[in-house]
Amino acid sequence: MTENKLEKIFAMQQELNAYVGNKHGIVPLATHMKDATMEERIEWLLKFNKALGKESNELDDCYVWKWWADDQGDFNWQNAKVEIVDILHFFVSMCLCVGITPQDLYDTYEKKWQINKQRQDQGYSIAGKTEDDNRNI
């Protein structure tokens, strides 16, 4: 397959968002989010972020975290994979909402990766941390 898989994921998520938007009469989802008003984009960014957080909580539930329980059970690896993909659905929706393309995501990731690596090489500390190195991303 020669198609970029990240581009394919973004296209598939846009298609799913449009399907859900059309099915439920949600105009910002039915159209491309970049055509939504600023207020609608902010609203949907916050909705997607909340959904992402809820999916992250569901990932926590793949293991009994209650230390007081007699039977902790086994970690549910299969469900963990599904929850991570659900997180990806909402993460990509957030990217679409703010206009991040797959190329933008890669470029920004690479720049931030370099900053994080440099911070580690220089002895990362909370006391010395500033966000100045993020301003050029």
Side-chain angles (χ1 to χ4, degrees):
M1 176 185 230
T2 59
E3 183 176 14
N4 180 304
K5 289 181 179 161
L6 187 57
E7 289 175 0
K8 176 88 171 154
I9 287 171
F10 270 60
M12 290 169 66
Q13 190 61 45
Q14 178 60 42
E15 180 182 333
L16 181 60
N17 288 353
Y19 178 80
V20 170
N22 284 319
K23 183 175 181 182
H24 296 284
I26 304 168
V27 175
L29 288 181
T31 62
H32 200 285
M33 190 59 72
K34 69 179 182 182
D35 298 329
T37 67
M38 185 64 63
E39 291 80 16
E40 289 171 329
R41 290 173 65 193
I42 291 169
E43 176 187 354
W44 279 96
L45 178 62
L46 296 175
K47 285 180 179 183
F48 291 141
N49 189 50
K50 184 169 188 161
L52 188 149
K54 296 296 184 182
E55 295 298 339
S56 181
N57 289 338
E58 290 179 17
L59 179 59
D60 282 344
D61 292 338
C62 289
Y63 188 72
V64 178
W65 53 269
K66 297 177 181 178
W67 62 89
W68 59 88
D70 290 335
D71 181 12
Q72 291 295 319
D74 295 325
F75 189 84
N76 188 335
W77 291 102
Q78 175 57 32
N79 194 55
K81 292 175 185 178
V82 172
E83 297 305 342
I84 290 168
V85 171
D86 284 343
I87 290 168
L88 180 61
H89 278 284
F90 291 112
F91 173 77
V92 172
S93 290
M94 291 170 68
C95 289
L96 293 167
C97 189
V98 300
I100 295 174
T101 67
Q103 187 63 53
D104 295 335
L105 182 62
Y106 177 83
D107 293 343
T108 305
Y109 178 89
E110 184 177 44
K111 289 174 186 173
K112 182 63 178 179
W113 180 88
Q114 291 171 353
I115 288 169
N116 287 343
K117 186 163 182 327
Q118 183 179 27
R119 286 176 175 175
Q120 291 299 314
D121 291 344
Q122 295 173 351
Y124 185 82
S125 78
I126 299 296
K129 182 180 180 247
T130 71
E131 294 299 320
D132 292 341
D133 51 3
N134 285 328
R135 294 184 199 273
N136 293 326
I137 294 179

